[in-house]
Amino acid sequence: LECSFVGCSPPSLAPGSRHHILQHLLVSGHNFAVSCGEKAQVFCFKCGDFVYHEVFEQEKVRIECVKRLPHMAWKEHTILRSFDAFQFLRTQDHGIVWRGLVATYPPMVPKEHFYAAQLTLRRQALFAGRVEERWMTPMPNALNFAALQHLKSEEERCKVVAPVGMYNHGNTCYMSSILQCLVFCKPLQEYFLREVGHHHKSCEMYRREEDAKAAAVKAKATTLKSKKAAVNVKSKSGKVAEPQICLACEMDCLFLSYFGSTVGKDVLFLIEESSRNLLGNQGDDESRSNYGDEIVSTEKGYPLVISEMITSSWKSGKMNHLAGYEQRDAHEFLNAFLELLGKHIVKFRERIYGAVTLIDEDNALSPKPERRRL
C-alpha cells in the first residue's frame, strides 16, 4: 500500500473502465490496490475481486473515530498479530476438520468498544443523510430515511420541530411536564441527536459485557467457595452488584421517539435495522420487527408511551421516594432526575475511556472524563 499510482477502477466497480489499475498491477507485480472514496475497498489482483481484511477494517474504523468521534478514538499502533488454534470446519459428511493455527489481528481496543464505535458511526451517518458512506447498510427503511435527511438543511436534520403528547400513567403528569421541557432544551437535543453523545445501543453493549463478567465471577465464586460467597460478591466499588439501569439510555430513546413522531418515522426501528449485522446474536430477536423490503411510515404526532422511562426512574435506586402513582412535586423530580442523568452520562464516558485504555494506558486521544467537563 505504499505505491502512489492512481488509476481507474476494475470493470466490476466501474463498467466504463480502461483497466489502468489492472495494467499497473500486472506490470508492477503489486497484488493489492485500494479504491478511493469513503468505502476504501481492498482489491486483490490474484483473486480478481475485492477482499476483506480485518486489519484494514480496524484502521478505517479508527480513522473515522478520530474524525467524527474523538472521545471514542484510539491512537495509531503497529499491527498486533496472534493465532487462534480453536477454529474448526464441518464437512458435508458431518465430519470436523481442524483449520490449524489461524492468524488473528486483535485490535488495540476490546471488541465491545470496536462494535460500539461502529454503531455510533452508523447512527451519525443515518441522521446526517450520508447515503454514500460505507456505514450505510442497504436496508430499505434506513436508506429511505437517510435520503429524506439528506434533503434537509444541516440545522433541521436533528431538530425537534413540534411538540408531541405523552400518555399519562396515573398521576405522572409531573414527570411528563419535566420531560417535555428537557426535550426542547437545545443543548440536550444537540448532545443526544446531533452529536450522538450517548447512543443507547453502544451503552447497552458495554453494560452487557459488564453483566457477563459479573455473572462469570459469581459462577466462579459459587463453584469454588459456596453459595453464601456468591451472594456476597461485590463490584469494584465495594458495593453489592445491582441491576444496571441507565437513565441516559432512556433519555436517548425518548429523544429518538420524540423526533420520530414529529417526522412520521419509527426511528428506533431504523437504527435497529441498520445495526443488525453488528449486533448479531447480542440483540433480542423477539423484539425486532420484520417488515421485509416494505417502507414503513408512522403517523406524525403520535403520542409517546413513557412507561420504560417511568419504571427505569423508579428502579434507579436514587428515586425510590418518587415511585408509585401518587401525585408528586415536579421540581423534586427534576432535581433527582438531572443528578442521575449526569452520573449515568459520566459513567458511560468512563466505560469508553476504560475500554480504550484497557490494553495501553496512553491509547486514548481524549482526556479522562470528568463531570465538570461534561
Side-chain angles (χ1 to χ4, degrees):
L1 301 178
E2 295 179 355
C3 178
S4 60
F5 179 84
V6 178
C8 53
S9 303
S12 58
L13 191 63
S17 173
R18 296 185 179 181
H19 306 276
H20 288 156
I21 192 65
L22 295 179
Q23 294 174 9
H24 171 76
L25 294 176
L26 181 64
V27 173
S28 64
H30 297 163
N31 292 323
F32 297 100
V34 181
S35 65
C36 300
E38 294 286 346
K39 294 185 176 181
Q41 297 172 297
V42 181
F43 181 82
C44 177
F45 180 67
K46 291 185 177 181
C47 301
D49 199 357
F50 292 95
V51 296
Y52 170 87
H53 197 286
E54 57 183 305
V55 173
F56 203 74
E57 294 300 317
Q58 291 170 11
E59 186 62 14
K60 286 192 286 187
V61 173
R62 188 195 68 81
I63 293 174
E64 197 70 14
C65 285
V66 173
K67 179 180 178 182
R68 303 188 186 278
L69 300 172
H71 65 283
M72 302 186 76
W74 60 96
K75 295 180 180 178
E76 182 179 3
H77 288 269
T78 56
I79 297 176
L80 301 179
R81 183 169 181 172
S82 182
F83 65 89
D84 186 358
F86 301 97
Q87 292 194 20
F88 301 88
L89 294 176
R90 186 179 296 275
T91 61
Q92 295 181 353
D93 56 352
H94 304 288
I96 296 178
V97 178
W98 180 48
R99 294 188 62 186
L101 301 179
V102 180
T104 59
Y105 303 88
M108 287 296 296
V109 293
K111 62 178 182 179
E112 65 269 15
H113 179 77
F114 186 70
Y115 290 135
Q118 293 184 73
L119 288 171
T120 308
L121 288 170
R122 287 192 178 188
R123 175 171 159 181
Q124 278 191 342
L126 187 68
F127 272 76
R130 299 193 293 265
V131 294
E132 74 286 350
E133 286 197 4
R134 58 184 294 269
W135 307 109
M136 291 302 303
T137 52
M139 297 294 183
N141 290 281
L143 287 176
N144 178 263
F145 176 75
L148 294 176
Q149 289 290 99
H150 182 73
L151 298 176
K152 298 179 181 179
S153 64
E154 185 176 354
E155 183 180 356
E156 295 177 346
R157 286 172 184 167
C158 299
K159 183 179 179 180
V160 178
V161 295
V164 174
M166 296 180 183
Y167 282 109
N168 192 22
H169 300 269
N171 294 313
T172 58
C173 46
Y174 71 96
M175 183 182 294
S176 300
S177 60
I178 293 298
L179 294 177
Q180 289 280 11
C181 295
L182 293 178
V183 165
F184 280 90
C185 182
K186 190 172 181 180
L188 289 179
Q189 284 190 22
E190 292 286 325
Y191 181 79
F192 283 100
L193 293 179
R194 187 180 303 279
E195 300 174 7
V196 195
H198 191 109
H199 188 14
H200 65 280
K201 288 292 183 182
S202 300
C203 184
E204 181 183 349
M205 190 161 288
Y206 291 118
R207 288 185 282 121
R208 185 181 290 113
E209 187 69 18
E210 289 181 1
D211 291 340
K213 292 179 180 178
V217 172
K218 187 174 182 178
K220 184 177 180 181
T222 305
T223 303
L224 298 179
K225 297 180 181 180
S226 64
K227 294 183 178 180
K228 183 178 179 180
V231 174
N232 294 327
V233 171
K234 296 184 178 181
S235 60
K236 295 181 179 179
S237 62
K239 299 181 180 179
V240 178
E242 298 178 354
Q244 299 226 29
I245 295 176
C246 183
L247 287 186
C249 287
E250 297 299 335
M251 196 67 183
D252 182 51
C253 292
L254 177 65
F255 269 103
L256 292 173
S257 299
Y258 210 105
F259 178 83
S261 179
T262 60
V263 298
K265 295 289 183 181
D266 188 352
V267 180
L268 288 173
F269 168 72
L270 298 177
I271 294 175
E272 182 78 21
E273 184 187 57
S274 63
S275 307
R276 285 181 183 176
N277 64 325
L278 279 177
L279 294 174
N281 294 328
Q282 300 183 33
D284 186 1
D285 293 332
E286 296 182 357
S287 64
R288 295 175 183 174
S289 302
N290 185 13
Y291 296 104
D293 295 332
E294 180 184 357
I295 302 297
V296 179
S297 297
T298 56
E299 183 181 356
K300 287 186 178 181
Y302 61 88
L304 305 183
V305 179
I306 59 172
S307 55
E308 291 292 334
M309 172 69 77
I310 294 173
T311 54
S312 297
S313 300
W314 291 347
K315 293 180 180 180
S316 59
K318 301 293 184 180
M319 301 174 67
N320 296 336
H321 60 291
L322 296 176
Y325 295 97
E326 295 81 9
Q327 293 184 2
R328 305 291 183 182
D329 182 65
H331 188 262
E332 184 180 4
F333 169 76
L334 174 63
N335 291 336
F337 183 81
L338 289 181
E339 182 180 0
L340 272 182
L341 180 65
K343 288 182 178 179
H344 290 176
I345 289 176
V346 173
K347 191 172 183 179
F348 173 67
R349 290 300 180 95
E350 289 175 346
R351 287 190 179 108
I352 294 176
Y353 185 82
V356 173
T357 59
L358 180 63
I359 300 177
D360 185 358
E361 293 183 356
D362 298 327
N363 197 27
L365 291 180
S366 301
K368 188 175 182 179
E370 297 179 4
R371 187 169 182 180
R372 291 181 179 179
R373 293 179 180 176
L374 296 177

